[in-house]
Amino acid sequence: MRFQFYLPTRMIFGQNCIKQNSAKLARLGTCAFIMSGKSSAADNGCLDDMTQALSSQGIQWFHYNKVTPNPSLEDVETAAAVARKKGADFIVALGGGSPIDAAKAVAVLAAGDLPADALFSQNEFETVLPLAVVPTTAGTGSEVTPYAILTNNTMETKSFLTSDQVFPRLAFLDGRYTMNLPKKVTRATMVDALTHAIEGYLAVRATAPVQLFALESLKQIGALLPVLAADGVLDLEQREQLLYASMLAGMVISQSGTTAVHAMGYSLTYFKGLEHGVANGLLITEYLRYINRARPDDVSRLLNTLCFCSLNAMQTFFTDLLGPFSLTPKEADKFAAIAAKAGNIKNTRPEPTQEELRQILDNCFLK
Ligand code: NAP
Ligand code: ZN
């Protein structure tokens, strides 16, 4: 056996964890640039908890609430200019994957004088500002990954920043902040976590500890799927369970990365406006059918862990939960061609050809 496992984020899980650990923020710097989306951080209480914690440590802070879902390269350049102007020496992100990923990019851009597109071509930077994050969706796992996924309008897709230097230093996980997530966001983000665990388990880069985390994550998510399909109302304990499962799935992809599902899903988001998790959830079963031809034992273990009796049962579940959605043959061609060039295709075992990707898209979306 041979592997490496590097995850330098301190994960602090539990109710009131920000306030109880405010002293740890003081080690990051003296002036925080807090990044969030428009309103959810204020509504769910994490903004108040964070600003009180910072103030209690004598840390200056500035709140920037202009991060939109699927942030672009242009968005993070604008935010970095503001952070630099405010003299921030560390970044705090409050929100879903969008503010957290934007914050990772800003941590790089605000620290130096880099052109923004260097984010995608380099994975080592001279300096990166320290980062503390508070996930308020339970899905992306971005709180424990070394990735930021940004809309790349030049390439007409989503591109990756990958660097060990953007692992957050601190991740505060408090399930209370996710209590009022709308059903639609809960579904999309939970399905995103599920695809992280499945893809990470099957990835070329998967390792023994990664597979252990993936199965535990799927066990926790599988137990919640019936609730999600019924009324979608989760109590605090279930919200914590989901946040935990999402964190585990983030730990999985932090080491093993994602595969063909994410590669194809980015076009569904970029061109068709589907939420990231919905795009992945609509693709996951056909992807498993494709993998099943070469690795039936692995697929069967994943299905059992999720408590699905067959791929057909899984297909029906996700179509009912997330569908309907369709593509034209021309769109399927274009999206297969874009996905075939994505780095995570090489992380898929067996590695699909462009024609096989097209077949998966056809099976999912051509009427
Ligand atoms: P998101 O885009 O961050 O947020 C979606 C919506 O949910 C926003 O309208 C947001 O409102 C709202 N919201 C967030 N927290 C809420 C809460 N507690 N209560 C009510 N509403 C809340 O969604 P996401 O799915 O978490 O993130 C998706 C992004 O993450 C995509 O760009 C995807 O590519 C990326 N991603 C990154 C990784 C990684 O490893 N870095 C992995 C997977 C996905 P506000 O705008 O008002 O906050
Ligand atoms: Zn994802």
Side-chain angles (χ1 to χ4, degrees), residues 246-301:
S246 160
M247 182 197 79
L248 289 174
M251 293 168 73
V252 168
I253 57 166
S254 75
Q255 310 299 308
S256 64
T258 57
T259 64
V261 172
H262 273 66
M264 290 183 281
Y266 292 139
S267 284
L268 303 183
T269 299
Y270 188 86
F271 294 104
K272 307 295 289 182
L274 278 189
E275 294 100 320
H276 175 73
V278 172
N280 295 335
L282 289 170
L283 288 159
I284 191 72
T285 315
E286 277 305 322
Y287 162 81
L288 284 179
R289 259 191 235 289
Y290 162 78
I291 301 284
N292 192 44
R293 301 206 304 251
R295 302 169 62 187
D297 291 349
D298 284 328
V299 172
S300 154
R301 176 174 300 159

Side-chain angles (χ1 to χ4, degrees), residues 102-250:
K104 290 175 179 173
V106 167
V108 176
L109 294 176
D113 214 4
L114 277 179
D117 51 12
L119 291 177
F120 303 138
S121 57
Q122 283 177 227
N123 51 24
E124 283 194 22
F125 304 97
E126 211 170 291
T127 8
V128 175
L129 300 183
L131 182 59
V133 303
V134 182
T136 67
T137 61
T140 72
S142 182
E143 67 274 13
V144 289
T145 71
Y147 317 120
I149 301 161
L150 301 172
T151 299
N152 183 341
N153 289 313
T154 312
M155 299 295 287
E156 293 192 316
T157 184
K158 299 190 87 178
S159 296
F160 273 78
L161 155 64
T162 306
S163 168
D164 281 352
Q165 291 167 286
V166 302
F167 268 116
R169 293 268 196 94
L170 298 173
F172 296 101
L173 297 109
D174 185 332
R176 293 173 313 152
Y177 304 139
T178 66
M179 274 314 285
N180 294 321
L181 263 180
K183 270 184 210 165
K184 216 169 152 231
V185 183
T186 303
R187 277 181 190 173
T189 49
M190 180 178 189
V191 173
D192 190 25
L194 175 143
T195 59
H196 293 163
I198 291 180
E199 288 180 74
Y201 181 95
L202 294 169
V204 170
R205 286 164 50 202
T207 61
V210 152
Q211 291 190 325
L212 194 67
F213 287 132
L215 290 176
E216 178 59 19
S217 174
L218 290 173
K219 193 174 121 196
Q220 302 289 343
I221 293 173
L224 293 172
L225 286 177
V227 189
L228 193 72
D231 58 4
V233 180
L234 304 177
D235 62 24
L236 182 55
E237 201 177 317
Q238 291 168 323
R239 288 282 177 193
E240 287 189 327
Q241 186 179 343
L242 194 48
L243 191 60
Y244 172 59
S246 160
M247 182 197 79
L248 289 174

